[in-house]
Amino acid sequence: MRLFLITNWALVYLGFLYLSAAADHGSSATINLRIEGETSTIFEGRIKTKGHKVTTALGGTHKCDGTNDGKYPTAGPTLTGALDDAAHLEGFTWDGQWFSSFEDYFITRIGGSQNTASKFWGLLKGYEFIDVGGCQERVSNGDQFLIAYEALDTQQYLRLSSASYSTKVGEPVIITVTNGTAQTPVEGATVNGQMTDADGKVTLTFTSGGLRQLKAEKLNAIRSNAIAIFVGGY
Ligand SMILES: *[C@@H]1O[C@H](CO)[C@@H](O)[C@H](O)[C@H]1NC(C)=O
């Protein structure tokens, strides 16, 4: 009886090892994806994705697994695959033109934000532009990607952070806005109705408890990531 139990647990354990190994081979990845549209955030959160075919109205159905244009020898999860999964999960739509010359989609619309002659969708890893299409961009667990609708006069991608993510009613908390790429302070950005100073900081004091979600905005800049501050009572 005892031996039987041990054997069973050993099988469960071996099964677990097998599944972990499969995940390690890059068959799927969970990434942090943020999609900033023209007037609002379209998606911000974790998305699990694996390499798969993608269909758009303009471009039709094609593979989107990193082997596009011979970028990687084996298939795996990609940025445009993650966009497509987020769209299905959240119920928004997107479109893209397919270019067979580089075997990738050029994103033309996400949600209601449509490319124009001076506005277009950009793909960034962290706060740096990526230099390949989204079906060639392989993604790994924990990666941070930003897909942003930007105008020609976009000058920066805002990043929001706080010294502390919990505070109490009446207890000030200092929030900082930086140019995500240069990591320099951004003056004149708006957070919770207040403007950042020359050090890119606002001091917020909350009059009631709860969970506050904050983002920073500024003209000619891509709005920031969201942060959540827990405000406790007395
Ligand atoms: C933000 O940083 C990038 C990278 O250093 C720089 O090219 C850009 O001009 C900066 N934007 C502003 C408004 O300072």
Side-chain angles (χ1 to χ4, degrees):
M1 183 61 192
R2 189 176 170 147
L3 183 66
F4 173 72
L5 269 179
I6 290 172
T7 311
N8 261 347
W9 278 113
L11 280 177
V12 168
Y13 183 63
L14 279 177
F16 172 75
L17 283 182
Y18 173 77
L19 288 175
S20 313
D24 281 349
H25 287 136
S27 57
S28 79
T30 301
I31 65 165
N32 296 297
L33 179 63
R34 184 154 68 90
I35 304 173
E36 296 293 351
E38 182 165 30
T39 55
S40 63
T41 302
I42 294 170
F43 182 86
E44 181 166 7
R46 285 154 62 85
I47 184 88
K48 186 174 182 182
T49 186
K50 54 183 186 177
H52 59 83
K53 283 189 178 176
V54 156
T55 301
T56 67
L58 274 176
T61 302
H62 302 278
K63 68 176 180 179
C64 186
D65 60 11
T67 65
N68 298 52
D69 206 27
K71 179 81 168 128
Y72 290 90
T74 56
T78 67
L79 179 54
T80 297
L83 158 66
D84 194 55
D85 291 331
H88 285 116
L89 188 75
E90 290 284 302
F92 63 86
T93 61
W94 70 283
D95 206 354
Q97 208 177 336
W98 175 260
F99 285 89
S100 41
S101 50
F102 70 116
E103 282 195 311
D104 216 323
Y105 292 94
F106 176 67
I107 296 169
T108 54
R109 179 185 60 79
I110 302 178
S113 302
Q114 173 91 44
N115 283 6
T116 69
S118 61
K119 294 180 176 178
F120 43 83
W121 284 96
L123 308 177
L124 296 89
K125 184 174 186 180
Y127 292 92
E128 304 282 349
F129 275 102
I130 60 173
D131 54 10
V132 293
C135 291
Q136 294 168 56
E137 180 70 12
R138 285 274 297 264
V139 299
S140 306
N141 283 329
D143 281 351
Q144 305 262 358
F145 281 95
L146 169 60
I147 303 179
Y149 185 76
E150 50 196 315
L152 285 177
D153 56 4
T154 296
Q155 294 160 9
Q156 57 190 341
Y157 304 85
L158 302 181
R159 180 175 181 273
L160 191 61
S161 63
S162 179
S164 167
Y165 292 90
S166 68
T167 185
K168 286 179 181 166
V169 168
E171 215 166 82
V173 58
I174 297 171
I175 315 276
T176 305
V177 180
T178 53
N179 174 340
T181 318
Q183 296 180 355
T184 47
V186 174
E187 186 178 7
T190 308
V191 183
N192 203 40
Q194 265 175 254
M195 290 261 256
T196 52
D197 64 16
D199 295 327
K201 295 185 190 304
V202 286
T203 304
L204 301 181
T205 309
F206 299 100
T207 54
S208 61
L211 193 65
R212 299 298 150 76
Q213 178 154 302
L214 306 171
K215 277 179 101 94
E217 299 203 7
K218 193 184 175 182
L219 194 66
N220 295 337
I222 300 299
R223 77 184 67 80
S224 77
N225 56 297
I227 61 170
I229 307 278
F230 176 73
V231 185
Y234 285 105

